[in-house]
Amino acid sequence: MRKLPPLNAVRTFEAAARHVSFTKAAEELLVTHGAVSRQVALLEEWFGVKLFRRAPSQLTLTAAGQIYYREVTAILDRLALASMDMKQYGSPSVLRVSAPPTFAMRWLIRRISSFQRMRPDAELRLLTSIGPLNVNDRSFDVAIRGNVGEPVGWMSQPFMTELIAPVCHVDLLTRGRLATPDDLRHHTLITYLTEPYDWPRWLAQAGGEMSADQETLRFEQMFFALQATLERMGIGLFPLFLVIDELMAGQLCLPFGDLGLRKREYRSFYLSDNESAATIADFTAWLADAGRETEQFMLDWATSKGWTF
């Protein structure tokens, strides 16, 4: 028999750790600040270990809290994805959305409840894919892809600009030189098949050069590459909005600050003759609002660092 911690307390902890704020977690969960504090305290008592350091003006995760947050976030994301897939066995879906796996797990799923509150009558079925779009493929109604350009026969709408930069665990800054892009030759570079910018291209644009004997670690999916980065295995190129929680929590960092940021649009694609046109219009409008909110959040964070994006 599984010995599980109080699951409501786990969910509350994940929200508080993601925001690094009891107040913001309370707003997300529609409860009071005190309720969040009590649930976190309950979980800490269950483990017999502190998950947060509490100060009058600052809340930070302990080392144990950072480890548990990483694991719990991945588990809750997988649970949410599996649960959305199971909904297809109930009433028929109204809107089928195709999105890249890591984007779906780390951005879309965490926000999609606000669309469901806006359109409680609309059932979403989330499909994960990074494949090209085919006008004859009617297995989904809306596709989300991180590329610029409009395939023949598809309508598209940009909804968010992503910023891509080298990202690493903060511990790597103490292990070797990272003053200029050329110092990357002293570190392992993490790559993945779906990366929007490869390292040789990034280095060339940043004024560096790829070493002939550069040590690299390759993965198929971004999600695995990101996990390897969190485990201090090297430095990866990632969209910042997918790692902003870890950046704000102090787990990950940008070793070169705002140097070498690359921009790329995320777009939603749909077919104009789709019978779910009204729901698609509502969903793409919601995506645009959520994208602007994320961009503003990133801008505020950059401004606090003295950076210009």
Side-chain angles (χ1 to χ4, degrees):
M1 185 175 180
R2 294 186 181 92
K3 189 174 182 180
L4 298 175
L7 297 184
N8 189 45
V10 172
R11 177 170 175 254
T12 302
F13 162 77
E14 192 276 338
R18 175 159 36 86
H19 292 293
V20 200
S21 167
F22 285 2
T23 300
K24 290 182 179 179
E27 292 173 358
E28 175 183 320
L29 300 173
L30 302 178
V31 297
T32 65
H33 181 285
V36 171
S37 180
R38 286 191 295 273
Q39 288 296 320
V40 170
L42 176 65
L43 194 61
E44 290 177 325
E45 182 180 352
W46 197 87
F47 286 127
V49 65
K50 288 295 183 182
L51 301 172
F52 287 99
R53 296 186 188 91
R54 299 161 174 83
S57 60
Q58 187 177 25
L59 182 72
T60 58
L61 285 161
T62 63
Q66 290 179 7
I67 293 171
Y68 193 58
Y69 168 65
R70 273 205 312 271
E71 296 297 329
V72 164
T73 297
I75 290 169
L76 291 179
D77 285 345
R78 290 197 297 270
L79 177 61
L81 193 58
S83 299
M84 292 188 72
D85 285 344
M86 285 302 297
K87 293 187 73 173
Q88 65 180 292
Y89 297 103
S91 56
S93 64
V94 174
L95 191 67
R96 300 161 300 170
V97 179
S98 169
T102 307
F103 174 87
M105 293 177 69
R106 295 187 65 86
W107 191 86
L108 184 58
I109 287 176
R110 296 179 181 184
R111 291 163 176 81
I112 213 165
S113 61
S114 67
F115 173 74
Q116 292 177 317
R117 288 194 295 271
M118 183 180 78
R119 283 292 307 271
D121 60 310
E123 272 202 62
L124 296 181
R125 181 188 300 177
L126 184 57
L127 312 170
T128 57
S129 173
I130 58 173
L133 303 180
N134 184 335
V135 72
N136 296 316
D137 185 357
R138 300 303 177 101
S139 63
F140 50 83
D141 303 301
V142 178
I144 295 173
R145 295 292 186 271
N147 61 346
V148 178
E150 191 170 303
V152 175
W154 292 84
M155 305 289 287
S156 75
Q157 174 180 316
F159 68 90
M160 181 165 53
T161 299
E162 66 177 1
L163 297 164
I164 301 166
V167 176
C168 69
H169 196 282
V170 293
D171 288 355
L172 290 192
L173 296 182
T174 64
R175 296 185 186 177
R177 294 172 293 173
L178 272 174
T180 70
D182 280 334
D183 290 333
L184 288 169
R185 69 186 62 193
H186 304 293
H187 294 267
T188 300
L189 301 185
I190 294 175
T191 69
Y192 48 100
L193 294 181
T194 57
E195 63 187 357
Y197 285 89
D198 59 28
W199 277 109
R201 180 183 174 192
W202 185 89
L203 278 163
Q205 292 177 333
E209 186 178 357
M210 191 78 169
S211 172
D213 58 351
Q214 178 69 57
E215 184 176 353
T216 60
L217 186 59
R218 302 180 187 277
F219 294 92
E220 181 179 7
Q221 293 286 346
M222 183 195 299
F223 182 79
F224 302 123
L226 177 55
Q227 190 60 41
T229 304
L230 286 165
E231 297 298 336
R232 307 166 177 81
M233 297 173 68
I235 304 170
L237 283 170
F238 299 105
L240 300 192
F241 76 90
L242 293 181
V243 295
I244 184 61
D245 294 334
E246 288 81 5
L247 289 170
M248 294 191 69
Q251 292 174 268
L252 298 179
C253 67
L254 306 185
F256 307 115
D258 56 354
L259 171 69
L261 286 167
R262 302 288 174 255
K263 293 184 178 181
R264 189 181 71 148
E265 284 185 332
Y266 259 86
R267 287 177 170 262
S268 57
F269 297 86
Y270 56 92
L271 297 171
S272 59
D273 62 347
N274 194 294
E275 61 185 17
S276 302
T279 307
I280 289 173
D282 286 343
F283 183 76
T284 53
W286 170 81
L287 269 180
D289 288 340
R292 282 191 294 270
E293 182 179 314
T294 298
E295 287 179 337
Q296 186 60 53
F297 185 75
M298 292 291 299
L299 178 61
D300 293 343
W301 175 74
T303 301
S304 73
K305 296 284 187 180
W307 295 341
T308 302
F309 282 179

mmCIF file of all heavy atoms in Angstrom, residues 208-239:
data_model
loop_
_atom_site.group_PDB
_atom_site.id
_atom_site.type_symbol
_atom_site.label_atom_id
_atom_site.label_comp_id
_atom_site.label_asym_id
_atom_site.label_seq_id
_atom_site.Cartn_x
_atom_site.Cartn_y
_atom_site.Cartn_z
ATOM 1 N N GLY A 208 31.478 33.930 -30.632
ATOM 2 C CA GLY A 208 32.343 32.835 -30.203
ATOM 3 C C GLY A 208 32.537 31.830 -31.320
ATOM 4 O O GLY A 208 32.170 32.060 -32.468
ATOM 5 N N GLU A 209 33.097 30.688 -30.971
ATOM 6 C CA GLU A 209 33.369 29.651 -31.966
ATOM 7 C C GLU A 209 33.265 28.288 -31.313
ATOM 8 O O GLU A 209 33.699 28.101 -30.181
ATOM 9 C CB GLU A 209 34.761 29.840 -32.572
ATOM 10 C CG GLU A 209 35.060 28.891 -33.705
ATOM 11 C CD GLU A 209 36.433 29.150 -34.319
ATOM 12 O OE1 GLU A 209 37.101 30.116 -33.879
ATOM 13 O OE2 GLU A 209 36.832 28.396 -35.219
ATOM 14 N N MET A 210 32.666 27.331 -32.030
ATOM 15 C CA MET A 210 32.512 25.973 -31.519
ATOM 16 C C MET A 210 33.862 25.259 -31.571
ATOM 17 O O MET A 210 34.523 25.201 -32.612
ATOM 18 C CB MET A 210 31.489 25.219 -32.372
ATOM 19 C CG MET A 210 31.046 23.893 -31.780
ATOM 20 S SD MET A 210 29.841 24.114 -30.453
ATOM 21 C CE MET A 210 29.283 22.423 -30.227
ATOM 22 N N SER A 211 34.287 24.740 -30.433
ATOM 23 C CA SER A 211 35.552 24.015 -30.369
ATOM 24 C C SER A 211 35.417 22.659 -31.059
ATOM 25 O O SER A 211 34.378 22.002 -30.975
ATOM 26 C CB SER A 211 35.970 23.830 -28.910
ATOM 27 O OG SER A 211 37.092 22.985 -28.815
ATOM 28 N N ALA A 212 36.460 22.222 -31.738
ATOM 29 C CA ALA A 212 36.429 20.946 -32.455
ATOM 30 C C ALA A 212 36.270 19.768 -31.507
ATOM 31 O O ALA A 212 35.694 18.740 -31.866
ATOM 32 C CB ALA A 212 37.696 20.784 -33.287
ATOM 33 N N ASP A 213 36.791 19.904 -30.288
ATOM 34 C CA ASP A 213 36.695 18.814 -29.314
ATOM 35 C C ASP A 213 35.672 19.133 -28.216
ATOM 36 O O ASP A 213 35.779 18.627 -27.101
ATOM 37 C CB ASP A 213 38.061 18.523 -28.693
ATOM 38 C CG ASP A 213 38.654 19.751 -28.000
ATOM 39 O OD1 ASP A 213 38.094 20.856 -28.159
ATOM 40 O OD2 ASP A 213 39.677 19.590 -27.295
ATOM 41 N N GLN A 214 34.689 19.959 -28.545
ATOM 42 C CA GLN A 214 33.675 20.344 -27.566
ATOM 43 C C GLN A 214 32.910 19.126 -27.045
ATOM 44 O O GLN A 214 32.442 18.291 -27.824
ATOM 45 C CB GLN A 214 32.677 21.317 -28.204
ATOM 46 C CG GLN A 214 31.542 21.744 -27.302
ATOM 47 C CD GLN A 214 32.007 22.630 -26.172
ATOM 48 O OE1 GLN A 214 32.608 23.663 -26.389
ATOM 49 N NE2 GLN A 214 31.744 22.217 -24.948
ATOM 50 N N GLU A 215 32.790 19.016 -25.738
ATOM 51 C CA GLU A 215 32.035 17.917 -25.138
ATOM 52 C C GLU A 215 30.545 18.251 -25.179
ATOM 53 O O GLU A 215 30.127 19.327 -24.749
ATOM 54 C CB GLU A 215 32.471 17.689 -23.694
ATOM 55 C CG GLU A 215 31.792 16.495 -23.040
ATOM 56 C CD GLU A 215 32.311 16.224 -21.640
ATOM 57 O OE1 GLU A 215 33.288 16.875 -21.230
ATOM 58 O OE2 GLU A 215 31.719 15.359 -20.966
ATOM 59 N N THR A 216 29.734 17.345 -25.709
ATOM 60 C CA THR A 216 28.287 17.573 -25.815
ATOM 61 C C THR A 216 27.530 16.382 -25.262
ATOM 62 O O THR A 216 28.048 15.263 -25.205
ATOM 63 C CB THR A 216 27.859 17.812 -27.278
ATOM 64 O OG1 THR A 216 28.198 16.660 -28.062
ATOM 65 C CG2 THR A 216 28.506 19.052 -27.855
ATOM 66 N N LEU A 217 26.302 16.647 -24.868
ATOM 67 C CA LEU A 217 25.400 15.616 -24.369
ATOM 68 C C LEU A 217 24.094 15.772 -25.138
ATOM 69 O O LEU A 217 23.477 16.841 -25.092
ATOM 70 C CB LEU A 217 25.167 15.797 -22.866
ATOM 71 C CG LEU A 217 24.367 14.736 -22.112
ATOM 72 C CD1 LEU A 217 25.029 13.371 -22.247
ATOM 73 C CD2 LEU A 217 24.246 15.120 -20.647
ATOM 74 N N ARG A 218 23.668 14.742 -25.861
ATOM 75 C CA ARG A 218 22.537 14.869 -26.782
ATOM 76 C C ARG A 218 21.317 14.112 -26.272
ATOM 77 O O ARG A 218 21.429 12.992 -25.778
ATOM 78 C CB ARG A 218 22.918 14.337 -28.171
ATOM 79 C CG ARG A 218 24.116 15.038 -28.773
ATOM 80 C CD ARG A 218 24.464 14.497 -30.152
ATOM 81 N NE ARG A 218 25.718 15.073 -30.624
ATOM 82 C CZ ARG A 218 25.797 16.259 -31.215
ATOM 83 N NH1 ARG A 218 24.694 16.960 -31.417
ATOM 84 N NH2 ARG A 218 26.962 16.731 -31.623
ATOM 85 N N PHE A 219 20.143 14.734 -26.448
ATOM 86 C CA PHE A 219 18.869 14.123 -26.085
ATOM 87 C C PHE A 219 17.887 14.277 -27.242
ATOM 88 O O PHE A 219 18.066 15.121 -28.119
ATOM 89 C CB PHE A 219 18.285 14.779 -24.833
ATOM 90 C CG PHE A 219 19.089 14.544 -23.589
ATOM 91 C CD1 PHE A 219 20.074 15.447 -23.199
ATOM 92 C CD2 PHE A 219 18.882 13.418 -22.816
ATOM 93 C CE1 PHE A 219 20.825 15.240 -22.061
ATOM 94 C CE2 PHE A 219 19.637 13.191 -21.676
ATOM 95 C CZ PHE A 219 20.607 14.104 -21.296
ATOM 96 N N GLU A 220 16.852 13.451 -27.201
ATOM 97 C CA GLU A 220 15.821 13.538 -28.245
ATOM 98 C C GLU A 220 14.856 14.685 -27.968
ATOM 99 O O GLU A 220 14.490 15.439 -28.868
ATOM 100 C CB GLU A 220 15.047 12.220 -28.337
ATOM 101 C CG GLU A 220 13.979 12.221 -29.426
ATOM 102 C CD GLU A 220 13.243 10.905 -29.523
ATOM 103 O OE1 GLU A 220 13.468 10.019 -28.664
ATOM 104 O OE2 GLU A 220 12.430 10.756 -30.447
ATOM 105 N N GLN A 221 14.426 14.825 -26.704
ATOM 106 C CA GLN A 221 13.401 15.800 -26.355
ATOM 107 C C GLN A 221 13.955 16.899 -25.453
ATOM 108 O O GLN A 221 14.878 16.676 -24.663
ATOM 109 C CB GLN A 221 12.241 15.106 -25.623
ATOM 110 C CG GLN A 221 11.439 14.139 -26.489
ATOM 111 C CD GLN A 221 10.544 14.852 -27.476
ATOM 112 O OE1 GLN A 221 10.300 16.053 -27.370
ATOM 113 N NE2 GLN A 221 10.028 14.112 -28.447
ATOM 114 N N MET A 222 13.356 18.083 -25.559
ATOM 115 C CA MET A 222 13.744 19.208 -24.722
ATOM 116 C C MET A 222 13.569 18.884 -23.247
ATOM 117 O O MET A 222 14.382 19.292 -22.416
ATOM 118 C CB MET A 222 12.913 20.445 -25.067
ATOM 119 C CG MET A 222 13.319 21.683 -24.273
ATOM 120 S SD MET A 222 12.094 23.022 -24.326
ATOM 121 C CE MET A 222 12.037 23.387 -26.069
ATOM 122 N N PHE A 223 12.498 18.160 -22.898
ATOM 123 C CA PHE A 223 12.215 17.880 -21.493
ATOM 124 C C PHE A 223 13.380 17.153 -20.833
ATOM 125 O O PHE A 223 13.775 17.461 -19.706
ATOM 126 C CB PHE A 223 10.933 17.057 -21.362
ATOM 127 C CG PHE A 223 10.549 16.775 -19.936
ATOM 128 C CD1 PHE A 223 9.931 17.739 -19.175
ATOM 129 C CD2 PHE A 223 10.825 15.546 -19.358
ATOM 130 C CE1 PHE A 223 9.583 17.490 -17.851
ATOM 131 C CE2 PHE A 223 10.493 15.289 -18.036
ATOM 132 C CZ PHE A 223 9.859 16.267 -17.288
ATOM 133 N N PHE A 224 13.970 16.170 -21.540
ATOM 134 C CA PHE A 224 15.100 15.420 -20.981
ATOM 135 C C PHE A 224 16.337 16.308 -20.883
ATOM 136 O O PHE A 224 17.115 16.212 -19.931
ATOM 137 C CB PHE A 224 15.377 14.186 -21.829
ATOM 138 C CG PHE A 224 14.208 13.252 -21.944
ATOM 139 C CD1 PHE A 224 13.687 12.903 -23.169
ATOM 140 C CD2 PHE A 224 13.612 12.730 -20.804
ATOM 141 C CE1 PHE A 224 12.603 12.057 -23.269
ATOM 142 C CE2 PHE A 224 12.523 11.877 -20.892
ATOM 143 C CZ PHE A 224 12.016 11.538 -22.126
ATOM 144 N N ALA A 225 16.532 17.156 -21.891
ATOM 145 C CA ALA A 225 17.676 18.081 -21.858
ATOM 146 C C ALA A 225 17.550 19.044 -20.687
ATOM 147 O O ALA A 225 18.536 19.361 -20.012
ATOM 148 C CB ALA A 225 17.743 18.852 -23.177
ATOM 149 N N LEU A 226 16.334 19.509 -20.428
ATOM 150 C CA LEU A 226 16.117 20.423 -19.313
ATOM 151 C C LEU A 226 16.379 19.730 -17.981
ATOM 152 O O LEU A 226 16.995 20.307 -17.070
ATOM 153 C CB LEU A 226 14.695 20.965 -19.363
ATOM 154 C CG LEU A 226 14.278 21.891 -18.223
ATOM 155 C CD1 LEU A 226 15.230 23.069 -18.096
ATOM 156 C CD2 LEU A 226 12.853 22.386 -18.442
ATOM 157 N N GLN A 227 15.938 18.481 -17.861
ATOM 158 C CA GLN A 227 16.185 17.750 -16.625
ATOM 159 C C GLN A 227 17.688 17.549 -16.407
ATOM 160 O O GLN A 227 18.185 17.663 -15.280
ATOM 161 C CB GLN A 227 15.481 16.393 -16.657
ATOM 162 C CG GLN A 227 15.483 15.654 -15.326
ATOM 163 C CD GLN A 227 14.793 16.432 -14.214
ATOM 164 O OE1 GLN A 227 13.750 17.038 -14.440
ATOM 165 N NE2 GLN A 227 15.363 16.411 -13.029
ATOM 166 N N ALA A 228 18.414 17.278 -17.490
ATOM 167 C CA ALA A 228 19.865 17.130 -17.379
ATOM 168 C C ALA A 228 20.512 18.435 -16.929
ATOM 169 O O ALA A 228 21.474 18.437 -16.153
ATOM 170 C CB ALA A 228 20.447 16.685 -18.721
ATOM 171 N N THR A 229 19.979 19.562 -17.401
ATOM 172 C CA THR A 229 20.501 20.863 -16.986
ATOM 173 C C THR A 229 20.252 21.089 -15.504
ATOM 174 O O THR A 229 21.115 21.588 -14.774
ATOM 175 C CB THR A 229 19.849 21.985 -17.814
ATOM 176 O OG1 THR A 229 20.074 21.731 -19.205
ATOM 177 C CG2 THR A 229 20.426 23.342 -17.457
ATOM 178 N N LEU A 230 19.065 20.716 -15.042
ATOM 179 C CA LEU A 230 18.743 20.843 -13.627
ATOM 180 C C LEU A 230 19.633 19.951 -12.762
ATOM 181 O O LEU A 230 19.891 20.265 -11.594
ATOM 182 C CB LEU A 230 17.272 20.497 -13.388
ATOM 183 C CG LEU A 230 16.249 21.549 -13.836
ATOM 184 C CD1 LEU A 230 14.853 20.951 -13.899
ATOM 185 C CD2 LEU A 230 16.273 22.738 -12.885
ATOM 186 N N GLU A 231 20.100 18.861 -13.349
ATOM 187 C CA GLU A 231 20.972 17.939 -12.610
ATOM 188 C C GLU A 231 22.453 18.317 -12.728
ATOM 189 O O GLU A 231 23.324 17.514 -12.414
ATOM 190 C CB GLU A 231 20.769 16.510 -13.127
ATOM 191 C CG GLU A 231 19.367 15.950 -12.907
ATOM 192 C CD GLU A 231 18.991 15.835 -11.451
ATOM 193 O OE1 GLU A 231 19.907 15.737 -10.613
ATOM 194 O OE2 GLU A 231 17.781 15.850 -11.142
ATOM 195 N N ARG A 232 22.736 19.534 -13.221
ATOM 196 C CA ARG A 232 24.100 20.078 -13.274
ATOM 197 C C ARG A 232 24.998 19.331 -14.268
ATOM 198 O O ARG A 232 26.220 19.292 -14.112
ATOM 199 C CB ARG A 232 24.764 20.047 -11.886
ATOM 200 C CG ARG A 232 23.956 20.712 -10.778
ATOM 201 C CD ARG A 232 24.506 20.341 -9.420
ATOM 202 N NE ARG A 232 23.828 20.996 -8.325
ATOM 203 C CZ ARG A 232 22.663 20.584 -7.809
ATOM 204 N NH1 ARG A 232 22.042 19.529 -8.328
ATOM 205 N NH2 ARG A 232 22.113 21.240 -6.812
ATOM 206 N N MET A 233 24.398 18.758 -15.310
ATOM 207 C CA MET A 233 25.175 17.964 -16.262
ATOM 208 C C MET A 233 25.753 18.791 -17.405
ATOM 209 O O MET A 233 26.532 18.283 -18.203
ATOM 210 C CB MET A 233 24.307 16.832 -16.814
ATOM 211 C CG MET A 233 23.862 15.836 -15.749
ATOM 212 S SD MET A 233 22.680 14.610 -16.352
ATOM 213 C CE MET A 233 23.703 13.678 -17.477
ATOM 214 N N GLY A 234 25.357 20.066 -17.504
ATOM 215 C CA GLY A 234 25.879 20.895 -18.571
ATOM 216 C C GLY A 234 25.044 22.146 -18.768
ATOM 217 O O GLY A 234 24.236 22.517 -17.909
ATOM 218 N N ILE A 235 25.240 22.786 -19.930
ATOM 219 C CA ILE A 235 24.582 24.048 -20.258
ATOM 220 C C ILE A 235 23.737 23.843 -21.505
ATOM 221 O O ILE A 235 24.210 23.274 -22.495
ATOM 222 C CB ILE A 235 25.619 25.169 -20.503
ATOM 223 C CG1 ILE A 235 26.528 25.317 -19.280
ATOM 224 C CG2 ILE A 235 24.936 26.493 -20.829
ATOM 225 C CD1 ILE A 235 27.711 26.224 -19.505
ATOM 226 N N GLY A 236 22.469 24.283 -21.449
ATOM 227 C CA GLY A 236 21.569 24.094 -22.579
ATOM 228 C C GLY A 236 21.025 25.411 -23.095
ATOM 229 O O GLY A 236 21.072 26.440 -22.414
ATOM 230 N N LEU A 237 20.489 25.366 -24.323
ATOM 231 C CA LEU A 237 19.799 26.520 -24.920
ATOM 232 C C LEU A 237 18.305 26.301 -24.780
ATOM 233 O O LEU A 237 17.764 25.341 -25.329
ATOM 234 C CB LEU A 237 20.169 26.640 -26.407
ATOM 235 C CG LEU A 237 21.530 27.224 -26.754
ATOM 236 C CD1 LEU A 237 21.818 27.024 -28.244
ATOM 237 C CD2 LEU A 237 21.586 28.710 -26.411
ATOM 238 N N PHE A 238 17.631 27.192 -24.032
ATOM 239 C CA PHE A 238 16.211 26.998 -23.773
ATOM 240 C C PHE A 238 15.435 28.303 -23.902
ATOM 241 O O PHE A 238 15.986 29.387 -23.637
ATOM 242 C CB PHE A 238 15.985 26.440 -22.356
ATOM 243 C CG PHE A 238 16.611 25.107 -22.114
ATOM 244 C CD1 PHE A 238 17.765 25.000 -21.348
ATOM 245 C CD2 PHE A 238 16.058 23.963 -22.647
ATOM 246 C CE1 PHE A 238 18.353 23.773 -21.125
ATOM 247 C CE2 PHE A 238 16.638 22.728 -22.425
ATOM 248 C CZ PHE A 238 17.785 22.626 -21.662
ATOM 249 N N PRO A 239 14.153 28.205 -24.272
ATOM 250 C CA PRO A 239 13.273 29.378 -24.182
ATOM 251 C C PRO A 239 13.106 29.765 -22.709
ATOM 252 O O PRO A 239 12.787 28.919 -21.870
ATOM 253 C CB PRO A 239 11.944 28.878 -24.774
ATOM 254 C CG PRO A 239 12.308 27.675 -25.571
ATOM 255 C CD PRO A 239 13.453 27.045 -24.865
#
